[in-house]
Amino acid sequence: MITRLSQLFVRTLREDPADAEVPSHRWLVRAGYIRRTAPGIYTWLPLGLRVLQQVERIVREEMDAMGAQEVRFPALLPREPYEATHRWTEYGPNLFRLKDRKGGDYLLGPTHEEMFTLLVKDLYSSYKDLPLSLYQIQTKYRDEARPRAGLLRGREFVMKDSYSFDVDDEGLAASYEAHRRAYVRIFERLGLTYVIVKATSGAMGGSASEEFLAVSPTGEDTFVRSPGGYAANVEAVRIAPPPAQDAEGIGPARTVDTPDTGTIVELVDVANQKFPRPDRAWTAADTLKNVVFRLVQPDGRSELLVVGLPGDRDVDMKRLEAAVSPAEAAPVTDEDFADNPGLVKGYIGPVSLATGEAVQYLGAEGPLKVRYLTDPRVVDGTAWITGANVVDTHMVDVVAGRDFTSDGVLDVAEIREGDPAPDGSGPLSLARGIEMGHIFQLGRKYADALGLKVLDANGKLVTVTMGSYGVGVSRAVAAVAEATCDERGLAWPRALAPFDVQVLATGKGDEIAAAAEQLAHDLDARGVRVLLDDRKASPGVKFADAEIMGMPVSVVVGRGLADGLVEVRDRATGERAEVPVAGAVDAVLAAVRG
Ligand code: ATP
Ligand code: MG
């Protein structure tokens, strides 16, 4: 069947949408693939829907090929299963919660671990039924704080989620590997340049997990790589702590006057003037910076958290968020400082924090100790210049383990280009990526919480171990658009393009229209998916629209026809070739198949 542009429900736009931050968003809207309905919520138009369906097809074929079976859950779900795993609360404001007419609590599913676990519990009871992998391609809902970049971060989006069920750890490892291989094939077929990185498991819980990131400067994730093959999302990097040091030669900690040194730069300057080191100059790395956050639990309880780290590094907010999840780290306010006179802005230090002297405690359920956590580099025996909890005053030769101890380690300092890989495999380089897929070995967390057990070979009840695996299907549409578009519009790889070829009849005259029509028919007869631009519009409009819409190949039937020629254009490379009308079908077939 030929699709005619004169009939197709589409309007291309000459202007960028006002809210477009990234090229894929701009072009998907301008080319008439999607329309915004509400923040982070989009309507799929015919062209966009065809691309979405292509992604779904690839994902479905690979999931089926690995032996997973497709099911489909509702998006509207009851509260109870999510209550049993605490996620009704832990998902926090990201969860769309609603009530039915009887006052019953419901939610719009953000991910379906609970439901799959209960379904298998409902139907299966023996080890003989396992292993099992189930999947669905379905709409998910998350009330994202920052819906962004069109389809890349929606509040409603399409995900493929699958879940594996095994009796033992070896089984889980095998199911995880099978998914990993299927994901490699999916992302190869989507034509994405991607990396597989170590990941944190976030709200999902569980242990081993990896992400598939499409390498892209517009990605929200930062990942690191080393020459020796280490690869991780920065959120998952756990630095290798240096060995503890011997502090025997270091004199007692002493208090020094350091007027106007509320910043690290000012402090280092004053230190070098007022109490220089004999061997070398003080640097920011000699200072212990203490940053305060308010840690808010999903149930609303909150406490102050002080993070101590070398002064030459900042806290990486995404690493912090990942480390404290499901709690959230909010910035402290002037009020917090006013309520806690012991925390002196710009002069916070661990000595009195550790003894609790100078700090006034806060907390909904009565007094709480201010939690003090330190960077892994702050090992026992290291000496620091740090705040004295008094304005214009610092302490020198404050030794970790001798003068203070922290409540634990928090590895959330920024990772920098050139930092050593934790496994000794060389210096790290940083790049950005879009999270396309995430695979987890969940273990028994959900099966435990919801009582999914089967009888093993000895007739004993054992708890099932699970994996959970997601692909961002609608996000993939945007990620591929992002990777392939240029300054003129979209440029689809054939695997995802809504049509293989766009045939443009440019110029007046029945002959041109008839030749274009004939060519479209001949191509269609050979199995090529054809979009025929049969509109009464100028050649300029048709050329521009073909470039914006981004079919891999276009054929221009126009002026050249008088000489028996048509022009075949490759959208991605920009190559153009004039070919005889008689050979046009073969030329197009070669272009779309090759
Ligand atoms: P992110 O870190 O980007 O918020 P996530 O880790 O919360 O994602 P998962 O729960 O692992 O996401 O979901 C599986 C996949 O679903 C992700 O790898 C991603 O491709 C996709 N996805 C998640 N959130 C969104 C969203 N808001 N819009 C579009 N796709 C999403
Ligand atoms: Mg994820």
Side-chain angles (χ1 to χ4, degrees), residues 142 144 152-154 157 159 204 435-438 472 475:
R142 296 182 185 177
E144 300 274 358
L152 282 177
R153 181 170 297 285
F157 58 97
M159 194 203 290
M204 232 51 88
E435 184 188 321
M436 299 309 309
H438 198 163
R475 180 178 282 186

Side-chain angles (χ1 to χ4, degrees), residues 133-337:
S133 283
L134 299 174
Y135 78 98
Q136 64 176 345
I137 296 176
Q138 195 232 21
T139 305
K140 299 280 191 265
Y141 296 86
R142 296 182 185 177
D143 195 358
E144 300 274 358
R146 291 175 293 274
R148 182 186 163 264
L151 302 173
L152 282 177
R153 181 170 297 285
R155 297 197 297 161
E156 175 181 294
F157 58 97
V158 180
M159 194 203 290
K160 184 286 298 176
D161 48 329
S162 42
Y163 305 85
S164 64
F165 301 86
D166 284 277
V167 263
D168 52 28
D169 296 351
E170 297 77 57
L172 171 57
S175 296
Y176 182 87
E177 265 313 306
H179 269 91
R180 197 177 193 273
R181 285 195 298 271
Y183 275 38
V184 165
R185 285 191 295 270
I186 289 169
F187 295 115
E188 297 288 342
R189 287 180 67 181
L190 292 177
L192 287 167
T193 303
Y194 67 94
V195 287
I196 304 176
V197 301
K198 284 189 216 319
T200 52
S201 36
M204 232 51 88
S207 51
S209 98
E210 289 169 293
E211 285 167 351
F212 289 69
L213 303 180
V215 180
S216 168
T218 53
E220 287 182 275
D221 286 270
T222 304
F223 66 94
V224 298
R225 270 186 291 198
S226 77
Y230 178 84
N233 193 309
V234 281
E235 294 171 4
V237 174
R238 292 291 156 260
I239 71 157
Q245 288 177 26
D246 181 7
E248 229 157 77
I250 300 172
R254 60 188 202 279
T255 306
V256 288
D257 277 345
T258 52
D260 301 324
T261 53
T263 68
I264 297 288
V265 176
E266 291 161 343
L267 173 61
V268 170
D269 275 354
V270 168
N272 281 318
Q273 285 162 29
K274 292 190 67 172
F275 45 95
R277 272 179 80 115
D279 53 340
R280 60 168 174 83
W282 294 110
T283 71
D286 297 313
T287 68
L288 179 63
K289 166 161 88 180
N290 297 286
V291 191
V292 199
F293 297 97
R294 177 164 290 283
L295 202 59
V296 186
Q297 300 296 338
D299 62 8
R301 279 183 308 134
S302 82
E303 63 176 314
L304 292 182
L305 166 68
V306 180
V307 181
L309 72 166
D312 62 332
R313 292 192 190 246
D314 288 326
V315 170
D316 177 329
M317 287 310 292
K318 290 202 79 172
R319 277 168 50 77
L320 178 64
E321 269 170 37
V324 303
S325 165
E328 278 179 33
V332 276
T333 59
D334 288 342
E335 255 171 42
D336 286 322
F337 280 109

Side-chain angles (χ1 to χ4, degrees), residues 224-231 419-421 423-429:
V224 298
R225 270 186 291 198
S226 77
Y230 178 84
D419 279 352
D423 63 356
S425 62
L428 295 175
S429 57

Side-chain angles (χ1 to χ4, degrees), residues 435-514:
E435 184 188 321
M436 299 309 309
H438 198 163
I439 53 178
F440 296 92
Q441 295 197 14
L442 286 177
R444 298 186 171 79
K445 173 177 167 175
Y446 292 88
D448 264 334
L450 298 163
L452 171 57
K453 293 179 188 196
V454 292
L455 289 172
D456 72 5
N458 307 316
K460 253 185 40 203
L461 270 180
V462 292
T463 302
V464 169
T465 182
M466 293 170 55
S468 138
Y469 317 88
V471 171
V473 172
S474 50
R475 180 178 282 186
V477 173
V480 173
E482 190 73 24
T484 52
C485 71
D486 59 22
E487 66 294 341
R488 289 168 294 137
L490 299 167
W492 296 108
R494 179 165 188 260
L496 296 196
F499 296 93
D500 298 316
V501 61
Q502 187 149 344
V503 176
L504 288 65
T506 63
K508 302 208 175 69
D510 295 345
E511 237 173 84
I512 285 177

Side-chain angles (χ1 to χ4, degrees), residues 548-570:
I548 290 183
M549 290 178 182
M551 301 323 142
V553 175
S554 58
V555 185
V556 182
V557 182
R559 263 191 319 216
L561 192 65
D563 306 319
L565 296 172
V566 297
E567 189 182 77
V568 178
R569 296 182 174 185
D570 182 301

